[in-house]
Amino acid sequence: MTLNSGTTTSQGPTPDTVRKRGYAGTLAAACGAVFVAQVANALPASLNGLLQEDLNTHGSQLTWITAAFMVAVVCFEFTFGVLGDLFGRRRLVVTGTLLLAAGSSVAALAPTVQVLWIGAALNGLGAGAMFPGSLTAITAVTSGARQRAHAVALWSGFLSAGAAVSPLLGGMFAKVGSWRGSFWVLVGLALVSAVLTLALAGESKAPQGRRLDVPGQITFAVGLVLVLYGAVEGPESGWTTVPVIGAFALGACFLAGFVVMELGAASPIFDLRLFRNRGFAVSSVVAVFGMLSFLGACFATSMWLGPVQHQDPIRVAVPFLLLQGPAFVLIPLVSRLLHRVAPSVLLTCGFVLMAVGCLLCSRLDVTDRGLGGFVVPALLIGIGFTLTVSSVTAVALDSVPAQLAGMASATTNMLRDLGFALGPVVVGAIALSNAGSVFTDGLSGAELPAAQKAAAHQIAEAGGPIAVNSLPAGAPGSAAHGLALDALGSGFGTAFTVCGVAAGVAALLAAVGMAGLLSRRSAEDLPSSLESGGPAAAPAALGH
């Protein structure tokens, strides 16, 4: 049978007694693995301010720390699903945890931000293997839809818990030691997860009809990385510079080649024929816009409180309890709602809440260091996200015939994670471009000593206003700190507005684009799929 991971789970000849003996251990190991993967995903949220100070990073360099993780997940999640089917899900999860341990070790020892990027990318590769491997491992040892729904709901809960506690965990260990200690804790968690998986989890495979699409994987990964590179570097390098234009052009060529290859591939990683279905096509676009809005808002919150306001990492973590916590708390309620309310209605309501929350954030005062202003907006965004992330999967599965459910869900998950990857990139590009323009205009008319103005201009040319904002008092250029802070407030305020608009577009598409669509399958036929669409974090990689 096919699960929402898009992989075929093996029923096999295994007797029920053997299946039951491996159920508890496999479930425990899978929940532990997905918890660790989500901790790795969300960990930088409370550390960006410390990373900026310790490694002397500027805006786009901080963006890459978050983007490197999600790009690795998005680029390779289909391939990891196939590898798990071919060689074993337990083996895939263990390999992923070891990769994550290695990546966290690299991050903990990183002398420069460039090395930290490598660690983040390795973490993303590891998590990208752990997400689909852990989910399909538990679905392979369940017997019946009810047990499967319970197991996947528990898996979703641990994933949500990891997303909620990770920023707080990172902030706590960073406060008592340094940000490097947070990554060493992650190394320990990953190694414990690997041991538990080897000791407790059962092995399962489903190699029949599964094969790798190497040309599709290469063209998609290269094309996506090049386009995202252009988007991240454009604000600081200049949108008309040769590297940025070249990255966009070459990336577009690779992605066009990917489309051509997938149309003729015998076993495509991305079945483009699904987009002939209006319901699936609309839900896919909604997934990208909506998840871009959510993780964009999370990234903007992290940057606002960290590198911009230089708040304590534990204070930075507090809003993330409101952004991510509802997904953990409300999983049972959303699961019941999906059986009683049309998923398109939940999508529309959820995205409206997210849009309102983001627009409220855009009105925050950057000089106000209190956290009270974030309470209502963050809670609205968090509740809205909880309503939408499950519903996206439900709509996609409900729009296609049953025999296409596996591929439809896998494709939806990839597009959802693409939205997560685009969130920090788009927010970083908009915020830093806007802040740079505002700072330049403000500096030119500012009544500052000539030496201070010249120094501030030179520093902004190299690292943007975020570098000027981080100068210690008395340093050359520090007299422009107020201008830099106001410029960054304007930039990230604009970014929050864009996130709100993206959520609004998603709500409109869900309300109008899905009008009149008839369900192909009832909710009772989709217990595991609906339950597994639960939240992720700074990616939510649910339902892989």
Side-chain angles (χ1 to χ4, degrees):
M1 69 176 179
T2 58
L3 261 287
N4 65 324
S5 60
T7 60
T8 305
T9 59
S10 175
Q11 298 282 355
T14 307
D16 285 344
T17 54
V18 176
R19 185 182 294 274
K20 289 177 181 177
R21 273 204 305 268
Y23 172 73
T26 301
L27 180 59
C31 289
V34 78
F35 177 86
V36 172
Q38 276 298 82
V39 169
N41 178 21
L43 188 62
S46 61
L47 302 179
N48 277 324
L50 297 178
L51 297 174
Q52 195 270 334
E53 294 174 2
D54 194 29
L55 299 178
N56 297 315
T57 60
H58 51 76
S60 65
Q61 292 177 332
L62 288 171
T63 302
W64 273 119
I65 297 171
T66 301
F69 184 101
M70 281 309 305
V71 168
V73 172
V74 173
C75 286
F76 298 103
E77 61 185 317
F78 275 126
T79 295
F80 279 132
V82 176
L83 289 174
D85 286 346
L86 291 174
F87 302 108
R89 285 68 176 262
R90 183 179 69 172
R91 185 175 299 172
L92 179 66
V93 171
V94 171
T95 301
T97 55
L98 294 178
L99 265 175
L100 196 147
S104 298
S105 298
V106 171
L109 296 170
T112 65
V113 70
Q114 289 79 11
V115 177
L116 187 58
W117 295 343
I118 296 173
L122 286 173
N123 280 347
L125 284 174
M130 294 162 74
F131 287 132
S134 60
L135 179 59
T136 50
I138 59 175
T139 56
V141 297
T142 54
S143 55
R146 183 174 296 276
Q147 187 184 58
R148 185 166 58 252
H150 172 76
V152 176
L154 189 61
W155 180 90
S156 302
F158 272 85
L159 187 149
S160 305
V165 305
S166 180
L168 189 60
L169 185 69
M172 289 173 58
F173 280 96
K175 189 170 181 62
V176 299
S178 75
W179 62 266
R180 299 179 188 275
S182 302
F183 284 102
W184 285 124
V185 171
L186 187 55
V187 172
L189 291 175
L191 293 177
V192 169
S193 176
V195 171
L196 288 177
T197 302
L198 286 171
L200 300 177
E203 185 61 283
S204 61
K205 302 178 184 179
Q208 298 83 7
R210 302 290 282 167
R211 54 184 174 179
L212 295 172
D213 177 15
V214 177
Q217 176 64 83
I218 293 174
T219 52
F220 177 69
V222 174
L224 181 61
V225 169
L226 285 170
V227 169
L228 292 180
Y229 172 84
V232 172
E233 294 299 321
E236 292 184 359
S237 299
W239 295 106
T240 58
T241 58
V242 173
V244 171
I245 294 176
F248 279 127
L250 194 57
C253 290
F254 270 96
L255 291 176
F258 167 73
V259 171
V260 172
M261 289 182 177
E262 294 305 282
L263 288 173
S267 181
I269 61 172
F270 194 80
D271 194 340
L272 298 170
R273 293 172 296 180
L274 288 169
F275 292 94
R276 297 171 184 171
N277 181 298
R278 179 163 71 95
F280 180 83
V282 172
S283 68
S284 298
V285 177
V286 163
V288 174
F289 274 91
M291 299 307 106
L292 181 157
S293 172
F294 176 72
L295 204 62
C298 289
F299 181 72
T301 300
S302 171
M303 293 291 288
W304 182 285
L305 297 174
V308 175
Q309 292 189 335
H310 299 291
Q311 300 235 31
D312 183 279
I314 292 182
R315 287 176 60 82
V316 176
V318 171
F320 285 89
L321 294 175
L322 301 177
L323 289 166
Q324 304 285 3
F328 175 69
V329 175
L330 299 178
I331 280 178
L333 174 62
V334 174
S335 298
R336 287 193 292 271
L337 285 175
L338 281 167
H339 289 280
R340 294 169 173 80
V341 181
S344 58
V345 174
L346 293 180
L347 278 176
T348 302
C349 294
F351 286 130
V352 168
L353 290 177
M354 289 172 59
V356 173
C358 291
L359 293 177
L360 288 175
C361 283
S362 71
R363 300 174 61 85
L364 294 173
D365 181 1
V366 73
T367 62
D368 181 3
R369 295 173 57 85
L371 297 179
F374 275 99
V375 172
V376 172
L379 196 57
L380 288 174
I381 295 170
I383 294 174
F385 173 72
T386 303
L387 293 176
T388 58
V389 71
S390 300
S391 305
V392 165
T393 301
V395 170
L397 293 174
D398 213 27
S399 301
V400 300
Q403 66 269 21
L404 297 178
M407 178 61 76
S409 183
T411 303
T412 299
N413 294 330
M414 191 281 293
L415 290 170
R416 183 174 55 195
D417 286 345
L418 177 61
F420 285 129
L422 288 172
V425 172
V426 171
V427 161
I430 291 172
L432 297 176
S433 291
N434 180 277
S437 298
V438 171
F439 180 75
T440 299
D441 293 341
L443 186 64
S444 63
E447 296 182 359
L448 296 176
Q452 285 282 346
K453 182 180 289 190
H457 179 76
Q458 184 178 10
I459 293 169
E461 283 288 316
I466 202 166
V468 178
N469 182 59
S470 301
L471 291 172
S478 61
H481 173 272
L483 292 173
L485 181 63
D486 290 340
L488 290 168
S490 172
F492 282 99
T494 301
F496 276 122
T497 300
V498 170
C499 291
V501 171
V505 170
L508 184 63
L509 285 172
V512 177
M514 296 178 184
L517 292 177
L518 296 178
S519 171
R520 289 181 178 269
R521 294 182 290 159
S522 66
E524 287 75 17
D525 295 328
L526 299 171
S528 64
S529 301
L530 300 188
E531 295 282 349
S532 66
L542 272 192
H544 284 49

